[in-house]
Amino acid sequence: MEAYKKWVWRNRDYVHSLGSLANGLTWLLPEKFSASEIGPEAVTAFLGIFTTINEHIIENAPTPRGHPVESSGADPSLSYPLLIAILKDLETVVEVAAEHFYGDKKWNFIIVTEAMKALIRLALFRDSGYKMLLQGGETPNDGKDSNQSELQNRAGNSDRNHGPYNLGNQNHHNPWNLEGRAMSALSSFGQNARTRTSTTSPTSGWSRRIQHQQAVIEPPMIKERRKTLSELLSEKGVNGALFVMGEVLYITRPLIYVLFIRKYGIRSWIPWAISLSVDTLGMSILSNSKWWGERSKQIHFSGPERDELRRRKLLWALYLMRDPFFTKYTRQKLESSQKTLEPVPLIGFLTEKIVELLEGAQSRYTYISGS
């Protein structure tokens, strides 16, 4: 396994491109959307899981210092984002197999997969210190804004350029940079000296000084302390409670949807309307959680979190693909557009294939679940 990890790290660009190409070609498999064909979906799931594991290996590649990248701050052996991605790859196979062997009872199996995803996401939400889930929990949320980090780096560089090391003649070279280079050279020289004299004087004063200087230059990675629910509510008050409520509604919405589908059927408007209501309520709560009360108690979203809110709003377009809205309205519009463009060379052919793919994807719950 270690040899395979090293191969993936060395060929990360090739592995990433190959995975994207393979996943794209799976849409062209024959009878992919046939209710009786489990094979194409199994191939798609296998390639998806294979790609997901490779991406996880790449994300946890060791840094030049030899330390693995801790993308989520969690134990690498129990990666919640990895579990969520694997479940999403498997759920379509579960749906097709359940429909093939059990018919309408497939919703019982879909409920199980949605419940597992909801539990894992709730656990990830708690273990991350109650931070917003990005991409359904597949992307770690470090809570940092890229623009803010860039400004802080610039400010830090400015402070070093105008700090206590640069109180003299401004035409001189920056002593901070000179000291940094000197300390790096001393560190390298000290490492060599320590290696050569380790058998004779491993605890010499010179070695201890070099270790201290290296620790100053390369400080160890400090893991951020996770915030508890009581601390969040104490710090943010009502806004913190609203934020948690909005995230819980977002996490549990797919499970609520399939529960009502099993009770009322896929052709009923009740599951569709309830799912849309939960989405709307959750988004409204999250949007308003940053306006209530004092400024210190408001929720401030980072750049990735604002992008995530926009992504969730775009997912509302999937309601156009869900029954009964699709059967009553969307399909008619697609068929009329296909008939209109059918006489046009090439465009008519492409339109026919696009409509065929959309209708096939609509027949699978997992393709339009948005979960």
Side-chain angles (χ1 to χ4, degrees), residues 12-27 47-48 50-52 54-55:
R12 62 181 64 192
D13 294 335
Y14 171 75
V15 171
H16 181 73
S17 301
L18 184 62
S20 301
L21 177 62
N23 289 328
L25 291 177
T26 55
W27 285 86
L47 291 175
F50 184 71
T51 303
T52 299
N54 286 336
E55 292 294 333

Side-chain angles (χ1 to χ4, degrees), residues 52-248:
T52 299
I53 293 176
N54 286 336
E55 292 294 333
H56 178 72
I57 293 174
I58 292 174
E59 289 175 359
N60 289 275
T63 62
R65 298 177 184 177
H67 301 289
V69 177
E70 296 184 2
S71 57
S72 61
D75 186 359
S77 62
L78 184 61
S79 174
Y80 290 126
L82 180 61
L83 292 177
I84 293 172
I86 291 176
L87 272 177
K88 292 183 70 173
D89 290 326
L90 285 176
E91 61 183 356
T92 305
V93 180
V94 172
E95 179 184 2
V96 175
E99 184 177 1
H100 177 73
F101 293 107
Y102 300 99
D104 290 339
K105 292 183 179 180
K106 71 174 185 178
W107 294 108
N108 295 329
F109 296 89
I110 296 177
I111 287 174
V112 171
T113 58
E114 289 293 359
M116 292 175 64
K117 287 194 296 183
L119 290 175
I120 294 174
R121 283 169 175 159
L122 289 172
L124 175 60
F125 183 48
R126 181 200 62 191
D127 290 353
S128 66
Y130 297 93
K131 296 177 182 178
M132 181 182 294
L133 299 186
L134 304 181
Q135 298 290 330
E138 295 183 64
T139 301
N141 184 0
D142 56 8
K144 296 179 182 179
D145 195 330
S146 57
N147 294 330
Q148 184 177 2
S149 300
E150 183 178 355
L151 290 177
Q152 290 177 352
N153 291 335
R154 292 179 180 177
N157 293 333
S158 177
D159 291 340
R160 287 195 293 268
N161 292 336
H162 298 85
Y165 291 100
N166 197 23
L167 296 177
N169 190 352
Q170 296 181 357
N171 294 327
H172 292 171
H173 295 289
N174 188 349
W176 176 277
N177 294 332
L178 294 175
E179 184 184 15
R181 295 173 184 174
M183 293 292 288
S184 298
L186 284 173
S187 176
S188 301
F189 177 76
Q191 284 286 357
N192 296 331
R194 182 176 55 185
T195 303
R196 294 172 183 174
T197 61
S198 58
T199 57
T200 58
S201 57
T203 58
S204 63
W206 170 260
S207 178
R208 287 195 296 269
R209 287 195 298 271
I210 292 300
Q211 290 176 358
H212 175 71
Q213 293 167 356
Q214 186 176 10
V216 173
I217 298 173
E218 299 181 357
M221 296 177 62
I222 301 176
K223 184 178 289 186
E224 182 181 358
R225 183 179 177 275
R226 296 165 183 167
K227 187 177 299 183
T228 63
L229 180 59
S230 60
E231 291 174 346
L232 175 65
L233 297 179
S234 176
E235 178 182 345
K236 298 298 182 180
V238 176
N239 289 326
L242 290 175
F243 172 76
V244 172
M245 187 184 304
E247 277 298 289
V248 171

Side-chain angles (χ1 to χ4, degrees), residues 270-287:
I270 295 178
W272 188 91
I274 289 178
S275 178
L276 179 60
S277 300
V278 173
D279 261 336
T280 306
L281 178 61
M283 184 60 65
S284 300
I285 291 175
L286 286 175
S287 300

